[in-house]
Amino acid sequence: MDERSRFVELVRDLPLVSVDLVLVRDGREVLLGLRTNRPAQGSWFVPGGRVLKNEKRADALARVAARELGIPDIHALNPVFLGPFEHFYPDCFAGDMGVSTHYVVLAHRINVPAGFEIPGQDDQHEALRWWALDAAAESESVHAYTRDYLPLL
């Protein structure tokens, strides 16, 4: 069995642990990415990614921030743990093939000042955009799981 097939089997049978980065600029805007991959493809969502085997949560935050956003030292921005969340999707990274995805998400708020710009963008996002908190809360194009974070900000 190749590595991709093995991972599909793991996703079929087990929950994944992930971190989400909820960047809030000047207390008024949240950073969202338009997802190019499954699950939640085509939705505006906060950046995030799974925690790898033997990876500490702090290291996962740093890796995801560097890879998805080009932020070299997320810990200098003092992430604050928002809490655990659960996300359930009918599909998985490999497509709509009858395998659902269950994430246990460790969400983190990261406050950044007015004028803060994201240094980079990976191929998981068609676009990155700062959204006014009220606009994100009201938009159907913002995924419901991301909207769940907004009252906590």
PDB file of all heavy atoms in Angstrom, residues 33-36 40-45 125 140-144:
ATOM      1  N   GLY A  33      -8.231  32.483   4.317  1.00  0.00           N
ATOM      2  CA  GLY A  33      -7.717  32.001   3.039  1.00  0.00           C
ATOM      3  C   GLY A  33      -8.802  31.266   2.285  1.00  0.00           C
ATOM      4  O   GLY A  33      -9.600  30.541   2.885  1.00  0.00           O
ATOM      5  N   LEU A  34      -8.834  31.456   0.976  1.00  0.00           N
ATOM      6  CA  LEU A  34      -9.770  30.737   0.117  1.00  0.00           C
ATOM      7  C   LEU A  34      -9.129  29.391  -0.205  1.00  0.00           C
ATOM      8  O   LEU A  34      -8.139  29.317  -0.929  1.00  0.00           O
ATOM      9  CB  LEU A  34     -10.061  31.532  -1.147  1.00  0.00           C
ATOM     10  CG  LEU A  34     -11.093  30.950  -2.097  1.00  0.00           C
ATOM     11  CD1 LEU A  34     -12.434  30.721  -1.394  1.00  0.00           C
ATOM     12  CD2 LEU A  34     -11.281  31.868  -3.301  1.00  0.00           C
ATOM     13  N   ARG A  35      -9.685  28.325   0.347  1.00  0.00           N
ATOM     14  CA  ARG A  35      -9.068  26.994   0.280  1.00  0.00           C
ATOM     15  C   ARG A  35      -9.139  26.395  -1.121  1.00  0.00           C
ATOM     16  O   ARG A  35     -10.188  26.397  -1.747  1.00  0.00           O
ATOM     17  CB  ARG A  35      -9.734  26.042   1.279  1.00  0.00           C
ATOM     18  CG  ARG A  35      -9.383  26.391   2.726  1.00  0.00           C
ATOM     19  CD  ARG A  35      -9.947  25.394   3.703  1.00  0.00           C
ATOM     20  NE  ARG A  35      -9.588  24.023   3.409  1.00  0.00           N
ATOM     21  CZ  ARG A  35      -8.453  23.428   3.777  1.00  0.00           C
ATOM     22  NH1 ARG A  35      -7.551  24.105   4.449  1.00  0.00           N
ATOM     23  NH2 ARG A  35      -8.228  22.171   3.474  1.00  0.00           N
ATOM     24  N   THR A  36      -8.001  25.848  -1.556  1.00  0.00           N
ATOM     25  CA  THR A  36      -7.947  25.177  -2.854  1.00  0.00           C
ATOM     26  C   THR A  36      -8.058  23.666  -2.722  1.00  0.00           C
ATOM     27  O   THR A  36      -8.251  22.982  -3.715  1.00  0.00           O
ATOM     28  CB  THR A  36      -6.630  25.509  -3.593  1.00  0.00           C
ATOM     29  OG1 THR A  36      -5.531  25.092  -2.778  1.00  0.00           O
ATOM     30  CG2 THR A  36      -6.528  26.988  -3.902  1.00  0.00           C
ATOM     31  N   ALA A  40     -13.314  21.334   2.894  1.00  0.00           N
ATOM     32  CA  ALA A  40     -13.678  22.765   2.922  1.00  0.00           C
ATOM     33  C   ALA A  40     -13.155  23.523   1.701  1.00  0.00           C
ATOM     34  O   ALA A  40     -12.990  24.737   1.750  1.00  0.00           O
ATOM     35  CB  ALA A  40     -13.231  23.434   4.216  1.00  0.00           C
ATOM     36  N   GLN A  41     -12.926  22.827   0.611  1.00  0.00           N
ATOM     37  CA  GLN A  41     -12.462  23.451  -0.626  1.00  0.00           C
ATOM     38  C   GLN A  41     -13.457  24.517  -1.080  1.00  0.00           C
ATOM     39  O   GLN A  41     -14.664  24.311  -1.039  1.00  0.00           O
ATOM     40  CB  GLN A  41     -12.325  22.377  -1.700  1.00  0.00           C
ATOM     41  CG  GLN A  41     -11.756  22.865  -3.001  1.00  0.00           C
ATOM     42  CD  GLN A  41     -11.614  21.713  -3.990  1.00  0.00           C
ATOM     43  OE1 GLN A  41     -12.481  20.848  -4.084  1.00  0.00           O
ATOM     44  NE2 GLN A  41     -10.511  21.701  -4.711  1.00  0.00           N
ATOM     45  N   GLY A  42     -12.926  25.670  -1.491  1.00  0.00           N
ATOM     46  CA  GLY A  42     -13.766  26.756  -1.980  1.00  0.00           C
ATOM     47  C   GLY A  42     -14.354  27.635  -0.896  1.00  0.00           C
ATOM     48  O   GLY A  42     -15.087  28.576  -1.194  1.00  0.00           O
ATOM     49  N   SER A  43     -14.024  27.378   0.363  1.00  0.00           N
ATOM     50  CA  SER A  43     -14.511  28.191   1.482  1.00  0.00           C
ATOM     51  C   SER A  43     -13.398  29.098   1.991  1.00  0.00           C
ATOM     52  O   SER A  43     -12.213  28.771   1.891  1.00  0.00           O
ATOM     53  CB  SER A  43     -14.953  27.299   2.652  1.00  0.00           C
ATOM     54  OG  SER A  43     -16.040  26.507   2.316  1.00  0.00           O
ATOM     55  N   TRP A  44     -13.806  30.210   2.568  1.00  0.00           N
ATOM     56  CA  TRP A  44     -12.861  31.065   3.280  1.00  0.00           C
ATOM     57  C   TRP A  44     -12.709  30.479   4.673  1.00  0.00           C
ATOM     58  O   TRP A  44     -13.692  30.203   5.363  1.00  0.00           O
ATOM     59  CB  TRP A  44     -13.369  32.500   3.338  1.00  0.00           C
ATOM     60  CG  TRP A  44     -13.301  33.178   2.008  1.00  0.00           C
ATOM     61  CD1 TRP A  44     -14.288  33.244   1.068  1.00  0.00           C
ATOM     62  CD2 TRP A  44     -12.181  33.863   1.459  1.00  0.00           C
ATOM     63  NE1 TRP A  44     -13.837  33.931  -0.030  1.00  0.00           N
ATOM     64  CE2 TRP A  44     -12.552  34.323   0.177  1.00  0.00           C
ATOM     65  CE3 TRP A  44     -10.897  34.128   1.923  1.00  0.00           C
ATOM     66  CZ2 TRP A  44     -11.689  35.043  -0.631  1.00  0.00           C
ATOM     67  CZ3 TRP A  44     -10.030  34.845   1.118  1.00  0.00           C
ATOM     68  CH2 TRP A  44     -10.429  35.300  -0.148  1.00  0.00           C
ATOM     69  N   PHE A  45     -11.473  30.273   5.088  1.00  0.00           N
ATOM     70  CA  PHE A  45     -11.182  29.553   6.329  1.00  0.00           C
ATOM     71  C   PHE A  45      -9.913  30.134   6.941  1.00  0.00           C
ATOM     72  O   PHE A  45      -9.054  30.643   6.219  1.00  0.00           O
ATOM     73  CB  PHE A  45     -10.943  28.069   5.998  1.00  0.00           C
ATOM     74  CG  PHE A  45     -11.421  27.115   7.051  1.00  0.00           C
ATOM     75  CD1 PHE A  45     -12.605  26.428   6.886  1.00  0.00           C
ATOM     76  CD2 PHE A  45     -10.686  26.896   8.204  1.00  0.00           C
ATOM     77  CE1 PHE A  45     -13.059  25.533   7.847  1.00  0.00           C
ATOM     78  CE2 PHE A  45     -11.121  26.022   9.182  1.00  0.00           C
ATOM     79  CZ  PHE A  45     -12.307  25.330   8.997  1.00  0.00           C
ATOM     80  N   HIS A 125      -4.055  27.972  -0.674  1.00  0.00           N
ATOM     81  CA  HIS A 125      -4.989  29.101  -0.710  1.00  0.00           C
ATOM     82  C   HIS A 125      -4.918  29.796  -2.063  1.00  0.00           C
ATOM     83  O   HIS A 125      -3.842  30.151  -2.520  1.00  0.00           O
ATOM     84  CB  HIS A 125      -4.655  30.107   0.397  1.00  0.00           C
ATOM     85  CG  HIS A 125      -4.688  29.497   1.755  1.00  0.00           C
ATOM     86  ND1 HIS A 125      -3.547  29.178   2.448  1.00  0.00           N
ATOM     87  CD2 HIS A 125      -5.729  29.131   2.544  1.00  0.00           C
ATOM     88  CE1 HIS A 125      -3.887  28.652   3.605  1.00  0.00           C
ATOM     89  NE2 HIS A 125      -5.201  28.598   3.683  1.00  0.00           N
ATOM     90  N   GLU A 140     -21.814  33.828   4.031  1.00  0.00           N
ATOM     91  CA  GLU A 140     -21.988  32.395   3.808  1.00  0.00           C
ATOM     92  C   GLU A 140     -20.766  31.774   3.126  1.00  0.00           C
ATOM     93  O   GLU A 140     -20.599  30.561   3.155  1.00  0.00           O
ATOM     94  CB  GLU A 140     -23.243  32.131   2.970  1.00  0.00           C
ATOM     95  CG  GLU A 140     -24.530  32.420   3.702  1.00  0.00           C
ATOM     96  CD  GLU A 140     -24.768  31.521   4.904  1.00  0.00           C
ATOM     97  OE1 GLU A 140     -24.525  30.297   4.803  1.00  0.00           O
ATOM     98  OE2 GLU A 140     -25.168  32.033   5.962  1.00  0.00           O
ATOM     99  N   SER A 141     -19.910  32.594   2.508  1.00  0.00           N
ATOM    100  CA  SER A 141     -18.703  32.045   1.874  1.00  0.00           C
ATOM    101  C   SER A 141     -17.599  31.773   2.897  1.00  0.00           C
ATOM    102  O   SER A 141     -16.622  31.090   2.585  1.00  0.00           O
ATOM    103  CB  SER A 141     -18.197  32.970   0.763  1.00  0.00           C
ATOM    104  OG  SER A 141     -17.804  34.210   1.285  1.00  0.00           O
ATOM    105  N   VAL A 142     -17.774  32.285   4.116  1.00  0.00           N
ATOM    106  CA  VAL A 142     -16.863  31.958   5.216  1.00  0.00           C
ATOM    107  C   VAL A 142     -17.399  30.681   5.860  1.00  0.00           C
ATOM    108  O   VAL A 142     -18.573  30.605   6.229  1.00  0.00           O
ATOM    109  CB  VAL A 142     -16.782  33.109   6.240  1.00  0.00           C
ATOM    110  CG1 VAL A 142     -15.961  32.700   7.447  1.00  0.00           C
ATOM    111  CG2 VAL A 142     -16.202  34.362   5.581  1.00  0.00           C
ATOM    112  N   HIS A 143     -16.546  29.681   5.969  1.00  0.00           N
ATOM    113  CA  HIS A 143     -16.978  28.388   6.480  1.00  0.00           C
ATOM    114  C   HIS A 143     -17.555  28.522   7.892  1.00  0.00           C
ATOM    115  O   HIS A 143     -17.064  29.310   8.700  1.00  0.00           O
ATOM    116  CB  HIS A 143     -15.809  27.402   6.481  1.00  0.00           C
ATOM    117  CG  HIS A 143     -16.246  25.983   6.578  1.00  0.00           C
ATOM    118  ND1 HIS A 143     -16.638  25.410   7.758  1.00  0.00           N
ATOM    119  CD2 HIS A 143     -16.384  25.022   5.623  1.00  0.00           C
ATOM    120  CE1 HIS A 143     -16.992  24.160   7.551  1.00  0.00           C
ATOM    121  NE2 HIS A 143     -16.847  23.899   6.251  1.00  0.00           N
ATOM    122  N   ALA A 144     -18.586  27.744   8.184  1.00  0.00           N
ATOM    123  CA  ALA A 144     -19.245  27.786   9.490  1.00  0.00           C
ATOM    124  C   ALA A 144     -18.269  27.518  10.632  1.00  0.00           C
ATOM    125  O   ALA A 144     -18.388  28.131  11.703  1.00  0.00           O
ATOM    126  CB  ALA A 144     -20.385  26.772   9.530  1.00  0.00           C
TER     127      ALA A 144
END
